Amino acid sequence: MPAAAQDITPVSVQLMEGVAFIGEGGVELQSGVDDTAVASFWRPLQYNHQGEVLAGRMECRAAAKREPYRAALYQLEQVHAANLAQERLRGFEELDTRSAPGDVVSRLDVMGRRTSPLRYQVLTYVAVRTGSDLVSIRQSCTFLRDGRVYRQDFMRYVDRHTSFVIVLPPPASADPLTAPTLDSLVDIET
């Protein structure tokens, strides 16, 4: 009897109002800490290394939460560095990063590996500014394989098989905490 293939139809789950996670494969919605919704995702993958096909699996978890805007939380490189310093990512060896900063939405992807057992991981940090609030989105994807493990561009698998749909109101100004008011306005001398 042949093995059943996984349905790769995109499935969407809502992480919070205005933020949905989409995955091509098995997606489930679970409860996380403080009633935060956590999307759990997996799909089988085939890797090619020097003409050799290797079987593997991609497992991801994603969550989102709204909190008061703080400039430090919008600096995603600093958020990642703080996670490393506080040993939340114990054993994670950073190999590559990809950054897409913006005034309203910023994203940072960090690819790394862990040992014992050897596995590769892509961490995704997204920050979205909405007025005086910040929506923080986190995703962690781990790549598991039977047998030998070879480094590849795992970020492309994350981009190909997962995504977020964000429908949030934009902030009133580029920086709501430092937006000028009439009290601080300096007039132009004529």
Side-chain angles (χ1 to χ4, degrees):
M1 175 179 240
Q6 181 188 28
D7 182 8
I8 58 169
T9 303
V11 176
S12 173
V13 295
Q14 187 168 332
L15 295 176
M16 60 174 279
E17 185 177 341
V19 178
F21 170 81
I22 299 173
E24 290 181 354
V27 178
E28 294 179 5
L29 194 59
Q30 304 169 340
S31 291
V33 179
D34 299 328
D35 295 327
T36 301
V38 176
S40 175
F41 165 80
W42 74 274
R43 73 167 284 129
L45 293 175
Q46 286 188 345
Y47 305 94
N48 191 347
H49 181 72
Q50 299 175 349
E52 183 180 1
V53 176
L54 302 170
R57 179 177 168 111
M58 174 181 177
E59 296 180 353
C60 301
R61 290 177 56 86
K65 72 176 183 177
R66 182 181 304 270
E67 53 199 324
Y69 175 78
R70 290 181 284 166
L73 292 176
Y74 197 72
Q75 305 302 318
L76 298 177
E77 289 84 1
Q78 293 177 10
V79 171
H80 176 66
N83 281 331
L84 287 171
Q86 295 171 12
E87 296 192 356
R88 290 189 185 129
L89 301 173
R90 184 173 302 169
F92 182 82
E93 178 188 347
E94 188 175 305
L95 299 172
D96 195 10
T97 62
R98 178 178 64 184
S99 180
D103 290 336
V104 177
V105 179
S106 284
R107 179 175 175 152
L108 173 68
D109 293 289
V110 181
M111 185 177 85
R113 73 174 163 218
R114 294 177 185 266
T115 56
S116 298
L118 179 61
R119 62 198 182 280
Y120 289 89
Q121 193 170 19
V122 175
L123 306 174
T124 301
Y125 302 83
V126 179
V128 183
R129 296 170 60 172
T130 62
S132 60
D133 289 337
L134 180 79
V135 174
S136 296
I137 301 168
R138 301 291 183 264
Q139 177 177 258
S140 173
C141 292
T142 303
F143 296 85
L144 309 168
R145 297 192 197 168
D146 297 332
R148 294 165 299 217
V149 177
Y150 299 103
R151 178 177 168 183
Q152 297 189 20
D153 179 10
F154 292 106
M155 290 185 200
R156 72 183 172 114
Y157 292 109
V158 172
D159 293 342
R160 181 182 303 161
H161 301 298
T162 68
S163 62
F164 294 96
V165 174
I166 302 170
V167 183
L168 297 166
S173 71
D175 190 348
L177 298 181
T178 61
T181 65
L182 291 178
D183 296 332
S184 62
L185 184 65
V186 177
D187 203 359
I188 301 171
E189 292 186 11
T190 56

